[in-house]
Amino acid sequence: MILSYYFIRKRVQELLRNPIARRRRFFAWGDVKRIWVVYLQEDNAEAEACVARLKAMGKEVRCLVFAREASSLPPKAEARLVCTKADLNLWAFPSEAIEKGFCAEACDVLLDLVPDENLPLQYLEGKHPAPFKLGVKKASGGLYDFALEVSKRDIGYIFEQMLFYLQTFRSE
């Protein structure tokens, strides 16, 4: 049982004011090798289609999935890290094992497909040293290097928009 999101909200705001040390960098799409994709279990079918498309493009993809219950999960894939409500402590912080497993895996791009506020995921994303973070604009703001403002909760649409911009970026 989570008592309050007060402490994690405060920590996310602190991470936004004082982000972790990381080397920010825009990547040309051809230079992107490894991608972390973050999504909710309820969007699994759509997100897995997006992941398959990235893999078909030759990208190495790791996934962080947030699930309300462990029983609703499909069999665990090798490149998938799952965070359930059971992995959150009393103040909604993810377990140390989840945090270390997520932050230890380097990537070129962190791609967040979660259209809604999710403080435990925002906390993890704020702690990750990815050089380029891309996601849907949240009320807290400032978490991503590039944030999309979308009017509909359609993971396929969000992914297409993100992919369009990733392919459009050029590095100098």
Side-chain angles (χ1 to χ4, degrees):
M1 179 178 127
I2 298 171
L3 290 180
S4 170
Y5 283 99
Y6 172 79
F7 294 107
I8 193 165
R9 180 173 280 113
K10 189 172 176 128
R11 182 65 177 122
V12 167
Q13 289 170 347
E14 185 180 312
L15 282 170
L16 292 172
R17 281 191 305 274
N18 302 311
I20 62 159
R22 65 183 178 103
R23 184 172 172 249
R24 292 181 179 196
R25 179 177 171 214
F26 289 102
F27 284 87
W29 184 242
D31 296 338
V32 174
K33 306 262 185 290
R34 301 183 76 181
I35 300 174
W36 261 109
V37 177
V38 179
Y39 63 92
L40 301 175
Q41 171 58 32
E42 62 198 53
D43 301 321
N44 189 60
E46 296 159 304
E48 286 298 322
C50 299
V51 168
R53 189 157 167 215
L54 290 171
K55 287 181 179 177
M57 294 176 175
K59 309 301 178 190
E60 184 181 333
V61 182
R62 301 272 307 174
C63 299
L64 173 63
V65 183
F66 184 80
R68 302 214 187 282
E69 297 175 8
S71 62
S72 65
L73 294 170
K76 187 171 181 179
E78 186 176 309
R80 184 182 309 160
L81 179 62
V82 178
C83 180
T84 65
K85 278 205 169 187
D87 294 317
L88 305 179
N89 69 13
L90 201 56
W91 298 279
F93 286 94
S95 70
E96 191 174 321
I98 296 286
E99 185 177 332
K100 282 184 180 178
F102 180 62
C103 294
E105 287 283 332
C107 68
D108 300 320
V109 175
L110 189 147
L111 182 66
D112 182 0
L113 295 176
V114 179
D116 310 312
E117 288 284 326
N118 187 305
L119 291 171
L121 289 179
Q122 287 176 281
Y123 171 77
L124 288 171
E125 291 169 359
K127 299 279 279 187
H128 199 283
F132 187 63
K133 297 178 183 181
L134 175 69
V136 176
K137 187 174 182 179
K138 310 279 193 299
S140 55
L143 183 63
Y144 307 113
D145 300 309
F146 184 79
L148 288 171
E149 192 166 335
V150 294
S151 57
K152 53 185 173 180
R153 191 191 190 290
D154 179 2
I155 302 305
Y157 173 77
I158 292 169
F159 175 75
E160 287 299 326
Q161 292 298 307
M162 289 180 179
L163 189 58
F164 170 78
Y165 286 109
L166 282 171
Q167 292 172 332
T168 303
F169 292 148
R170 302 281 185 255
S171 62
E172 304 266 332

